[in-house]
Amino acid sequence: MLKVGINGYGTIGKRVADAVAAQPDMTVCGVAKASPDFGADGAVRRGYPLYSARDDRVNAFREAGYELAGTSDDLIAESEVVVDAAPGGIGAENLPRYEAAGVPAIVQGKESDDLVETSFNARANFEDAEGADAVRVVSCNTTGLSRLVAPLEENYGVEKVRATLVRRGGDPDQTGRGPINDILPDPIAVPSHHGPDVNTIFPELSIDTMGLKVPATLMHMHSLNIELGSDPSSEELRELLGGESRVFVVGDDFSIDGTGKLREFARDRGRPRGDLWENCVWGESITVKDSELYMFQAIHQESDVIPENVDAIRAMTGLADKEESMRITDEALGIGL
Amino acid sequence: MLKVGINGYGTIGKRVADAVAAQPDMTVCGVAKASPDFGADGAVRRGYPLYSARDDRVNAFREAGYELAGTSDDLIAESEVVVDAAPGGIGAENLPRYEAAGVPAIVQGKESDDLVETSFNARANFEDAEGADAVRVVSCNTTGLSRLVAPLEENYGVEKVRATLVRRGGDPDQTGRGPINDILPDPIAVPSHHGPDVNTIFPELSIDTMGLKVPATLMHMHSLNIELGSDPSSEELRELLGGESRVFVVGDDFSIDGTGKLREFARDRGRPRGDLWENCVWGESITVKDSELYMFQAIHQESDVIPENVDAIRAMTGLADKEESMRITDEALGIGL
Amino acid sequence: MLKVGINGYGTIGKRVADAVAAQPDMTVCGVAKASPDFGADGAVRRGYPLYSARDDRVNAFREAGYELAGTSDDLIAESEVVVDAAPGGIGAENLPRYEAAGVPAIVQGKESDDLVETSFNARANFEDAEGADAVRVVSCNTTGLSRLVAPLEENYGVEKVRATLVRRGGDPDQTGRGPINDILPDPIAVPSHHGPDVNTIFPELSIDTMGLKVPATLMHMHSLNIELGSDPSSEELRELLGGESRVFVVGDDFSIDGTGKLREFARDRGRPRGDLWENCVWGESITVKDSELYMFQAIHQESDVIPENVDAIRAMTGLADKEESMRITDEALGIGL
Amino acid sequence: MLKVGINGYGTIGKRVADAVAAQPDMTVCGVAKASPDFGADGAVRRGYPLYSARDDRVNAFREAGYELAGTSDDLIAESEVVVDAAPGGIGAENLPRYEAAGVPAIVQGKESDDLVETSFNARANFEDAEGADAVRVVSCNTTGLSRLVAPLEENYGVEKVRATLVRRGGDPDQTGRGPINDILPDPIAVPSHHGPDVNTIFPELSIDTMGLKVPATLMHMHSLNIELGSDPSSEELRELLGGESRVFVVGDDFSIDGTGKLREFARDRGRPRGDLWENCVWGESITVKDSELYMFQAIHQESDVIPENVDAIRAMTGLADKEESMRITDEALGIGL
Ligand SMILES: NC(=O)c1ccc[n+]([C@@H]2O[C@H](COP(=O)([O-])OP(=O)(O)OC[C@H]3O[C@@H](n4cnc5c(N)ncnc54)[C@H](O)[C@@H]3O)[C@@H](O)[C@H]2O)c1
Ligand SMILES: NC(=O)c1ccc[n+]([C@@H]2O[C@H](COP(=O)([O-])OP(=O)(O)OC[C@H]3O[C@@H](n4cnc5c(N)ncnc54)[C@H](O)[C@@H]3O)[C@@H](O)[C@H]2O)c1
Ligand SMILES: NC(=O)c1ccc[n+]([C@@H]2O[C@H](COP(=O)([O-])OP(=O)(O)OC[C@H]3O[C@@H](n4cnc5c(N)ncnc54)[C@H](O)[C@@H]3O)[C@@H](O)[C@H]2O)c1
Ligand SMILES: NC(=O)c1ccc[n+]([C@@H]2O[C@H](COP(=O)([O-])OP(=O)(O)OC[C@H]3O[C@@H](n4cnc5c(N)ncnc54)[C@H](O)[C@@H]3O)[C@@H](O)[C@H]2O)c1
């Protein structure tokens, strides 16, 4: 059992921990948090050894009644791999610590691609991470785009991607984030940085992205136009995407009209935290006209990168190859709708 | 095993079904829905026999590929008790059908108190429903208020309740409901109908309520002022409420600042659908000054009435008495935080 | 002075009335409303003769203390032109009444193009409405798109338009409309009906649109990709659009990050109701790459069609030609930022 | 003409400037801003001499093309009175500068009452500010409460105020503020600091307040319970409040169901920026039962303190006494609905 430490136990970290714990070939050797809030209580209840992410917070944990297994340095020493899920920017600061300790590490999408050996998406470039010591799992939006581009590229070639990313303003527990009643071009400059991020996975891809932010918390929404190298039918496309394990093609009969009902569907299915690890593509929206594909997909920002983190662990440590890793991950989590 | 039929399988009905299925002494003999959307898929996956709530929709279910066990008339015939969770107003229409079939039935809070033998809240008036054939589980807000009033009344006496109910505009999957950016007195007339609804449980209680509606979907929020018959300390109050199984006193260390983090906490705890069956009272807000209690509590509109429906079934059929029923329900669901 | 009657005095109608009243060559001979709410009070205060839009509401107006000038039939008889701004669908029902009375009439964008002689956008096809008896001012979104396409078409040719329309869920006073916390593909089918609506103005244009709905009330947002027939620089494009009187190119120094600050800007400028009759294009977003233009524009749904209604009146009645009419309208209202 | 300088030209400052400019006995000698955004453009267009609020921003203004009249030190030197409307906390820092320059100054509600000679509400304690050199206009919520308490106190005596303040999360242009989909007790501790703030105006008043924050931008909403010293009828109360110039009793016939329609009403009335300087009390909600008054009022956070700032200027400088000042202010602005 590979010992995995999780440094940063918030939205992403707690989900990575649960996903690792669900795998047959790895175990959570500890999680590090910066403050003793209800998340710390959750970690303890799940039986994860609790570490203080910051040395100056040890007392705060003690006062709140938590027994600590140590600080993040101890956690790193304990781990065979570290998944860093600290707030954006802190992963970059932590990388030298992992390197110094000789522990392979994964950082999240907000960190720069320059700091790691490769950016990672299991479906698209698993092999690039094999044996690597520092890997970055791309952001939720880039993960969602990569899972689409990979099969399209393989089957038809992709001439150009034009994507409008209508992004949620904050996660459901981020009470301080807005906007309340606004639609914001974000960034205003076009194309946005999201396209170049996809290029860390598909260096040759021609992609232009435009970003927006809206007052919603549940999921991002992608409005997509993709020029293909050939002209398949809409039905063929629907079938192709339906065959991808990490893409869920929303059926017309389901009467799911947006992200609210999608998450309700996930809750009804008993998904932990109502998570949707898969890209959610409206089948009815898939339309090919003169080799141009149009479609809508919703991306659950809190969870779509979770299986990717698990697969990255296997790629880096050689626990399994791409097909086997994705199969094990999907089976352990119950991915596939 | 008591056979319970659920007529109306939406927000409330699907939760009642799962709660009934979790009990040791009852079983779901079927659920009836009006349309073959993703909810129908969910019912089938959970193994609940599926009925068409409306005769004219049988074909729609067939075309969507569902095998029906019959229509709601068949479901009623099959059931030893029916829980009606159809949209507000339809329960009233259905009551004569249940009576004609000789099946005891529970309706939800939107229906009128006049139509049933008693309105019901387990903590407050379980005994009134014993042996009854038609019972109404009071609304989510009234349930939340009743759970507070009962222990306060028993321990100190309640002179007067003044409550401002800041209500969510719609449930997370109700995409058509607003408001988007508004605060609405609703109703404008004061006091609102919520007070008289609490009087269906506590006929003598002096209570004035004011209702508001805001653009949020997760929970209602009650801002409360309660004049007590004596003058306990805030700490005593906190302990009293902490001892109630269906009240969760939010700890100060948890850093839970509102309904978003509350539901996140529930998801972290692995609660099905992230539900919070308990009143959620901020411990820090509990304040007694000159016999007047002030406090905030959040009420999860989708789920707080669920354990009450289960207990009402036992009260009506004599399966258990109050203490035993509440204990079994709480244990089976995992109530108590 | 041309006598203009306004049938339907809500969001659109009251603005058309004020715009007509501001023109030197026309006057408001009356406005018709269906209910005696605060809008009726507003009409009276502005000195517009008040009519009941529905015969069965005459008493309701009386009881609320309003003196009526008559019903909508009287208003039609009184008018030389009618602008119909009744709720969508009612304009279609009213058209035969206008025809029977021999009064030229304008309906709004929700009505079908089939029912009128021409759909209308002043910048794009003023001439088509000259002398017509029934004209339809296209919807707010189509108006916004037409004002862009016209100059682009004239200067470079337009090969293809791909537009994602991120639409506000409701107007600020529409408290019943949602969604509260969602992003909805609307319609889910792609391309949406908005493209064909633009084709009522530009029949030959190749345009694909995708529609979304979000919890915001202030403006729509368009995320645009336009393939041009030649390859101008971004600066040239910015200048071209800056030269259009009904397009406002938002300056970079203004630090306007979305629709909230845009409307604040309009309020600061003293605009009536904080209206923005112009397309609001972020200058910083205007980007041309290999003959493809990308840009964001915000559209104030409540007001961008107002100057178009005024110009349509002149086109139909021959009061002025295109250049003169647009100039008079712009000057009278203060259009141009 | 009294020369008034405005230090801080944001939501409050720009409105104070326009209100001062509208008075017959004072003039705006300049406004100071910290950044050259669209607000600066607005100041210039209105003819207000523009100053840089911060010395280190002078170049930023120059680069954006603005001609400055100087920095805030120059503005202070130029002014006979300064109204400080800088962000909360900065007013406190600025007070010694005003004192050093010998210029009487007004700060806003976020600053501490300890720093000034008196807190101020025109209706309640105009006289306390007569001749003072440093005055604090109380916050929007406290202003709203004071305007109610004053006439109630005078006519019936007030035994106790219990208020739930449902506050907007941010102003319409504050895109960074949340929450998006939440209801937050804010502060969680009860009673909130709002009550003691009212006590800076009514030191003897018994008042308990509870604060909440919701995803809305237009207005705050107060849910009120007030124990009176006698037992007037609801009608009498309605009349009393209707007679207050800075209270607007919303008529039942207006069909105004919340803050969206209230602001729409203000826009229809041609109010600058759609402002509502008055407390907006729903007439239908005014209910007296056994000497207890219940009611809802909406408070326009951006504008209700504006007339108060104007009156404070007159009180401090002796330009007029209370009745005369309020009359002039109301007439100049058009207060009274
Ligand atoms: N939330 C999303 O939607 C999302 C999606 C994809 C990727 N990401 C990325 O994942 C990373 C984590 O984001 P999140 O949303 O989970 O953040 P979060 O704020 O929910 O959680 C961050 C966690 O890190 C801890 N922490 C704080 N300082 C730390 C430190 N110095 N060392 C270690 N841990 C520390 C905090 O206690 C908290 O547990 C970020 O890089 C983010 O960009 C987030
Ligand atoms: N949602 C809440 O927050 C909430 C809280 C407490 C009580 N309630 C009450 O519970 C009841 C159900 O509300 P809900 O939110 O679950 O509604 P819902 O709309 O989510 O579900 C209603 C269900 O009834 C079915 N239905 C429609 N017509 C029917 C008919 N003629 N016969 C039987 N079933 C029919 C629908 O298919 C759907 O499955 C209402 O009375 C409501 O007032 C709702
Ligand atoms: N609101 C927008 O954003 C917007 C934008 C562009 C176009 N439109 C279109 O303009 C039209 C009017 O929309 P609106 O938003 O102003 O609606 P609204 O609901 O604000 O106003 C409608 C008005 O029509 C009146 N009315 C109701 N029944 C009537 C009848 N039988 N005859 C005459 N009047 C009647 C109502 O009293 C009200 O005054 C619609 O076709 C709509 O699609 C609306
Ligand atoms: N916005 C409201 O709803 C509201 C209501 C009542 C009272 N207030 C109070 O009014 C004050 C101003 O609030 P606001 O909402 O207008 O803020 P704002 O952020 O809209 O405006 C602040 C202004 O101050 C300027 N500024 C920044 N630093 C400055 C400095 N060092 N010196 C002078 N000016 C500086 C900014 O450029 C800006 O023009 C605060 O104390 C606030 O608490 C605000």
Side-chain angles (χ1 to χ4, degrees):
Chain A
M1 299 284 269
L2 187 80
K3 292 192 284 179
V4 181
I6 318 284
N7 195 14
Y9 186 80
T11 300
I12 298 300
K14 68 188 174 189
R15 284 173 167 86
V16 171
D18 292 355
V20 164
Q23 306 301 314
D25 50 356
M26 44 185 95
T27 183
V28 177
C29 66
V31 304
K33 268 192 66 57
S35 46
D37 55 20
F38 71 89
D41 178 71
V44 169
R45 281 176 182 270
R46 285 171 191 251
Y48 304 141
L50 183 66
Y51 293 80
S52 175
R54 291 172 43 173
D55 297 358
D56 61 346
R57 294 284 173 81
V58 169
N59 271 339
F61 278 95
R62 296 245 161 90
E63 277 159 30
Y66 292 100
E67 265 184 56
L68 288 178
T71 65
S72 58
D73 281 330
D74 302 315
L75 174 61
I76 296 168
E78 198 65 37
S79 306
E80 290 172 276
V81 179
V82 171
V83 178
D84 186 298
I90 294 186
E93 290 173 22
N94 284 337
L95 273 173
R97 297 171 61 204
Y98 305 134
E99 195 182 13
V103 183
I106 294 166
V107 293
Q108 306 304 317
K110 265 281 176 68
E111 312 308 330
S112 166
D113 176 62
D114 299 341
L115 303 170
V116 294
E117 288 160 62
T118 184
S119 286
F120 180 85
N121 172 263
R123 178 65 179 81
N125 74 339
F126 187 98
E127 292 81 4
D128 293 353
E130 288 177 348
D133 283 331
V135 165
R136 166 184 172 262
V137 168
V138 289
S139 76
C140 44
N141 282 307
T142 303
T143 296
L145 290 168
S146 297
R147 286 178 182 166
L148 268 193
V149 169
L152 295 176
E153 182 72 52
E154 287 165 19
N155 285 276
Y156 315 109
V158 172
E159 302 294 325
K160 174 146 208 115
V161 176
R162 298 182 191 86
T164 295
L165 312 180
V166 183
R167 286 144 53 221
R168 61 85 179 103
D171 294 334
D173 65 341
Q174 293 182 305
T175 36
R177 293 182 66 157
I180 292 175
N181 182 35
D182 215 327
I183 308 177
L184 307 170
D186 178 41
I188 294 174
V190 179
S192 72
H193 54 273
H194 302 93
D197 199 46
V198 177
N199 288 135
T200 66
I201 303 290
F202 300 94
E204 309 299 328
L205 186 73
S206 171
I207 176 167
D208 289 330
T209 52
M210 301 177 80
L212 289 161
K213 211 158 70 176
V214 300
T217 65
L218 300 177
M219 302 179 86
H220 301 303
M221 183 74 71
H222 293 179
S223 168
L224 299 171
N225 166 262
I226 304 180
E227 289 185 22
L228 302 172
S230 59
D231 192 17
S233 70
S234 302
E235 291 68 38
E236 187 182 325
L237 240 305
R238 201 170 158 151
E239 218 142 292
L240 176 75
L241 295 178
E244 292 287 312
S245 75
R246 295 186 187 169
V247 175
F248 166 47
V249 178
V250 183
D252 306 356
D253 280 334
F254 274 11
S255 300
I256 289 179
D257 63 358
T259 68
K261 287 209 181 64
L262 263 180
R263 297 294 306 279
E264 181 80 3
F265 167 76
R267 280 192 293 271
D268 282 359
R269 278 288 177 97
R271 284 289 178 91
R273 297 187 173 88
D275 283 351
L276 282 164
W277 302 293
E278 301 88 352
N279 290 21
C280 299
V281 176
W282 272 268
E284 194 187 339
S285 76
I286 298 174
T287 308
V288 189
K289 241 178 66 172
D290 305 333
S291 303
E292 289 199 32
L293 165 63
Y294 289 99
M295 50 176 271
F296 288 114
Q297 73 174 354
I299 296 296
H300 182 208
Q301 76 279 1
E302 299 171 300
S303 75
D304 76 329
V305 299
I306 305 309
E308 312 299 325
N309 273 277
V310 173
D311 290 325
I313 293 171
R314 288 207 190 87
M316 296 167 77
T317 57
L319 276 185
D321 67 10
K322 172 178 168 177
E323 273 69 36
E324 202 188 338
S325 178
M326 291 184 70
R327 194 183 46 71
I328 300 176
T329 305
D330 291 356
E331 209 174 289
L333 295 180
I335 287 180
L337 287 164
Chain B
M1 299 283 270
L2 186 82
K3 289 192 286 179
V4 180
I6 319 285
N7 195 14
Y9 187 79
T11 299
I12 299 300
K14 67 189 175 189
R15 285 172 166 88
V16 170
D18 292 356
V20 164
Q23 306 302 314
D25 50 356
M26 43 185 96
T27 184
V28 176
C29 66
V31 303
K33 267 190 69 56
S35 47
D37 55 20
F38 71 90
D41 178 70
V44 169
R45 283 177 182 269
R46 286 170 191 251
Y48 304 143
L50 183 65
Y51 293 79
S52 176
R54 292 172 43 174
D55 297 357
D56 60 346
R57 293 284 173 84
V58 169
N59 270 338
F61 278 95
R62 296 245 162 89
E63 275 159 29
Y66 292 100
E67 265 184 53
L68 288 178
T71 64
S72 57
D73 280 330
D74 302 314
L75 174 61
I76 296 167
E78 198 65 38
S79 307
E80 290 172 275
V81 179
V82 171
V83 178
D84 186 298
I90 295 186
E93 291 173 22
N94 284 337
L95 273 172
R97 296 172 61 204
Y98 305 135
E99 194 183 11
V103 183
I106 294 166
V107 294
Q108 307 303 318
K110 267 278 176 69
E111 311 308 331
S112 167
D113 176 61
D114 301 341
L115 304 171
V116 294
E117 288 160 63
T118 184
S119 287
F120 180 84
N121 172 261
R123 177 68 178 79
N125 74 337
F126 187 97
E127 292 80 3
D128 292 353
E130 287 176 348
D133 283 330
V135 165
R136 167 183 171 262
V137 169
V138 289
S139 77
C140 43
N141 282 307
T142 303
T143 296
L145 290 168
S146 298
R147 287 178 181 166
L148 269 192
V149 169
L152 295 176
E153 182 72 52
E154 288 164 18
N155 286 276
Y156 316 109
V158 172
E159 303 293 326
K160 173 147 208 114
V161 176
R162 299 181 190 86
T164 295
L165 312 180
V166 184
R167 284 143 55 222
R168 61 85 180 103
D171 295 334
D173 65 340
Q174 293 181 305
T175 36
R177 293 182 66 156
I180 293 176
N181 181 37
D182 215 326
I183 308 177
L184 307 170
D186 179 40
I188 294 174
V190 178
S192 72
H193 54 273
H194 302 93
D197 199 45
V198 177
N199 287 135
T200 66
I201 302 291
F202 299 94
E204 309 299 327
L205 186 72
S206 170
I207 176 166
D208 289 330
T209 52
M210 301 177 80
L212 289 160
K213 211 159 71 175
V214 300
T217 65
L218 300 177
M219 302 178 87
H220 302 301
M221 183 75 71
H222 294 178
S223 169
L224 299 171
N225 167 262
I226 304 180
E227 288 185 24
L228 301 172
S230 60
D231 192 18
S233 70
S234 303
E235 292 66 40
E236 187 182 326
L237 239 305
R238 200 169 159 150
E239 218 142 291
L240 175 74
L241 296 178
E244 291 288 311
S245 76
R246 295 186 186 169
V247 174
F248 166 47
V249 178
V250 183
D252 306 356
D253 281 334
F254 274 11
S255 300
I256 289 180
D257 63 358
T259 67
K261 287 207 181 63
L262 263 181
R263 297 294 306 277
E264 181 80 4
F265 166 75
R267 281 192 292 270
D268 284 1
R269 278 287 177 97
R271 284 288 177 93
R273 296 187 174 90
D275 283 351
L276 282 164
W277 301 293
E278 300 88 354
N279 289 21
C280 298
V281 176
W282 271 268
E284 192 186 341
S285 76
I286 298 174
T287 308
V288 190
K289 242 177 65 172
D290 304 334
S291 303
E292 289 199 32
L293 164 64
Y294 288 99
M295 50 175 271
F296 288 115
Q297 72 174 355
I299 297 295
H300 183 207
Q301 77 278 2
E302 299 170 301
S303 75
D304 77 329
V305 298
I306 304 308
E308 312 300 326
N309 273 276
V310 172
D311 290 326
I313 293 172
R314 288 209 191 86
M316 296 166 77
T317 57
L319 275 186
D321 67 12
K322 173 177 167 176
E323 274 67 39
E324 200 188 339
S325 178
M326 289 186 70
R327 193 185 46 71
I328 300 176
T329 304
D330 290 357
E331 207 174 290
L333 294 180
I335 287 180
L337 284 165
Chain C
M1 299 284 269
L2 187 80
K3 292 192 284 179
V4 181
I6 319 285
N7 195 14
Y9 187 79
T11 300
I12 299 300
K14 67 189 174 188
R15 286 172 166 88
V16 170
D18 292 355
V20 164
Q23 306 302 314
D25 50 356
M26 43 186 96
T27 184
V28 176
C29 65
V31 304
K33 267 191 68 57
S35 47
D37 55 19
F38 71 89
D41 177 71
V44 169
R45 282 178 183 267
R46 286 171 191 251
Y48 305 142
L50 182 65
Y51 293 79
S52 175
R54 292 171 43 173
D55 298 357
D56 59 346
R57 294 283 174 82
V58 169
N59 270 339
F61 279 94
R62 297 245 161 90
E63 277 159 28
Y66 293 100
E67 265 184 54
L68 289 178
T71 64
S72 57
D73 280 330
D74 302 315
L75 174 60
I76 296 168
E78 198 66 36
S79 307
E80 290 173 277
V81 179
V82 171
V83 178
D84 185 298
I90 294 184
E93 290 173 22
N94 285 337
L95 273 172
R97 296 171 61 204
Y98 306 134
E99 195 182 10
V103 183
I106 294 167
V107 293
Q108 306 303 317
K110 266 279 175 68
E111 312 308 331
S112 167
D113 176 62
D114 299 342
L115 304 171
V116 294
E117 288 161 63
T118 184
S119 287
F120 180 84
N121 172 263
R123 177 66 180 80
N125 75 338
F126 186 98
E127 293 80 3
D128 292 353
E130 287 176 348
D133 284 330
V135 165
R136 166 183 172 262
V137 169
V138 288
S139 76
C140 42
N141 282 307
T142 302
T143 296
L145 290 168
S146 298
R147 286 178 183 167
L148 268 192
V149 168
L152 295 176
E153 183 72 52
E154 288 165 19
N155 286 275
Y156 315 108
V158 172
E159 302 293 327
K160 173 146 209 115
V161 176
R162 297 181 191 88
T164 295
L165 312 180
V166 183
R167 286 144 53 220
R168 61 86 180 101
D171 294 335
D173 64 341
Q174 293 181 307
T175 36
R177 291 182 66 156
I180 293 176
N181 181 36
D182 215 327
I183 309 177
L184 306 171
D186 180 40
I188 294 174
V190 178
S192 72
H193 55 272
H194 303 93
D197 198 46
V198 177
N199 289 136
T200 65
I201 302 291
F202 299 94
E204 308 299 327
L205 186 72
S206 169
I207 177 167
D208 289 330
T209 52
M210 301 176 81
L212 289 159
K213 210 159 71 176
V214 300
T217 65
L218 300 176
M219 301 180 86
H220 301 301
M221 183 73 71
H222 294 178
S223 168
L224 299 171
N225 166 262
I226 304 180
E227 289 185 24
L228 301 172
S230 60
D231 192 17
S233 70
S234 304
E235 291 66 40
E236 187 181 326
L237 239 306
R238 200 168 159 151
E239 218 141 293
L240 176 73
L241 296 178
E244 291 287 314
S245 75
R246 295 186 187 169
V247 175
F248 166 46
V249 178
V250 182
D252 306 355
D253 280 334
F254 274 10
S255 300
I256 289 179
D257 63 358
T259 67
K261 288 208 180 65
L262 263 180
R263 297 294 305 278
E264 181 80 4
F265 167 76
R267 280 192 292 269
D268 283 359
R269 279 286 178 96
R271 284 289 178 93
R273 298 188 172 87
D275 283 350
L276 282 163
W277 301 292
E278 301 87 354
N279 289 21
C280 298
V281 175
W282 272 268
E284 193 187 339
S285 76
I286 299 174
T287 307
V288 189
K289 239 177 68 171
D290 304 334
S291 303
E292 289 199 32
L293 165 64
Y294 288 100
M295 50 175 271
F296 287 114
Q297 74 174 354
I299 297 295
H300 183 207
Q301 77 277 0
E302 298 171 300
S303 75
D304 76 329
V305 299
I306 304 308
E308 311 300 325
N309 273 277
V310 172
D311 291 325
I313 294 171
R314 289 209 190 84
M316 295 166 76
T317 57
L319 275 185
D321 67 11
K322 172 178 169 177
E323 273 67 38
E324 202 188 339
S325 177
M326 290 184 69
R327 194 184 45 71
I328 300 176
T329 303
D330 290 357
E331 209 175 286
L333 294 180
I335 287 181
L337 287 165
Chain D
M1 298 284 271
L2 186 81
K3 289 192 287 179
V4 181
I6 319 284
N7 195 14
Y9 187 79
T11 300
I12 298 300
K14 67 189 175 189
R15 285 172 166 86
V16 171
D18 292 356
V20 164
Q23 305 303 313
D25 50 357
M26 41 186 98
T27 182
V28 176
C29 66
V31 304
K33 266 191 68 58
S35 47
D37 55 20
F38 72 89
D41 178 71
V44 170
R45 281 175 184 270
R46 285 170 192 251
Y48 304 141
L50 183 65
Y51 294 79
S52 175
R54 292 171 43 172
D55 297 357
D56 60 346
R57 293 284 173 81
V58 170
N59 271 337
F61 279 94
R62 296 244 162 90
E63 276 159 29
Y66 292 100
E67 265 184 55
L68 289 177
T71 64
S72 56
D73 280 330
D74 302 316
L75 175 60
I76 296 167
E78 198 66 37
S79 306
E80 289 171 279
V81 179
V82 170
V83 177
D84 186 298
I90 294 184
E93 291 172 22
N94 284 337
L95 273 173
R97 297 172 59 205
Y98 306 134
E99 194 183 12
V103 183
I106 293 166
V107 294
Q108 306 304 316
K110 266 282 176 66
E111 312 307 331
S112 166
D113 175 61
D114 300 341
L115 304 171
V116 294
E117 288 160 63
T118 184
S119 287
F120 180 84
N121 172 262
R123 177 66 179 79
N125 74 338
F126 187 97
E127 293 80 3
D128 293 352
E130 286 176 348
D133 284 330
V135 165
R136 166 183 172 264
V137 169
V138 290
S139 76
C140 43
N141 281 308
T142 303
T143 296
L145 290 168
S146 298
R147 288 177 182 166
L148 270 192
V149 169
L152 295 176
E153 182 73 52
E154 288 165 18
N155 286 276
Y156 315 108
V158 172
E159 302 294 326
K160 173 145 208 116
V161 177
R162 299 181 191 87
T164 295
L165 312 179
V166 184
R167 286 143 55 220
R168 61 85 179 103
D171 294 334
D173 65 340
Q174 292 182 305
T175 37
R177 292 182 67 156
I180 293 176
N181 181 36
D182 216 328
I183 308 176
L184 306 171
D186 179 41
I188 294 174
V190 179
S192 72
H193 54 272
H194 302 93
D197 199 46
V198 177
N199 288 135
T200 66
I201 302 292
F202 299 95
E204 309 299 328
L205 186 72
S206 170
I207 177 167
D208 290 328
T209 53
M210 302 176 79
L212 289 160
K213 211 159 71 175
V214 300
T217 66
L218 300 177
M219 302 179 87
H220 300 301
M221 182 73 71
H222 293 179
S223 168
L224 299 170
N225 167 261
I226 304 180
E227 288 185 24
L228 301 172
S230 60
D231 191 19
S233 70
S234 304
E235 292 65 42
E236 186 182 327
L237 240 305
R238 201 169 158 151
E239 219 142 290
L240 175 74
L241 296 179
E244 292 288 311
S245 76
R246 295 187 186 169
V247 175
F248 166 47
V249 178
V250 182
D252 306 355
D253 280 334
F254 274 10
S255 300
I256 288 180
D257 63 358
T259 68
K261 287 208 180 65
L262 263 180
R263 297 293 305 277
E264 181 80 3
F265 166 76
R267 282 191 292 271
D268 283 0
R269 278 286 177 98
R271 284 288 177 93
R273 297 187 174 91
D275 283 351
L276 281 164
W277 302 292
E278 301 88 351
N279 289 22
C280 299
V281 175
W282 272 268
E284 193 187 339
S285 76
I286 298 173
T287 308
V288 189
K289 240 177 66 171
D290 304 333
S291 303
E292 290 200 32
L293 165 63
Y294 289 99
M295 50 174 272
F296 289 114
Q297 74 174 353
I299 297 295
H300 184 207
Q301 77 277 0
E302 300 171 300
S303 75
D304 76 330
V305 298
I306 305 309
E308 311 300 325
N309 273 277
V310 172
D311 291 325
I313 293 171
R314 289 208 189 85
M316 296 166 77
T317 57
L319 276 185
D321 67 11
K322 173 178 167 177
E323 273 67 38
E324 201 189 339
S325 178
M326 289 185 70
R327 195 185 43 73
I328 301 177
T329 304
D330 291 355
E331 207 173 289
L333 294 180
I335 287 180
L337 286 165

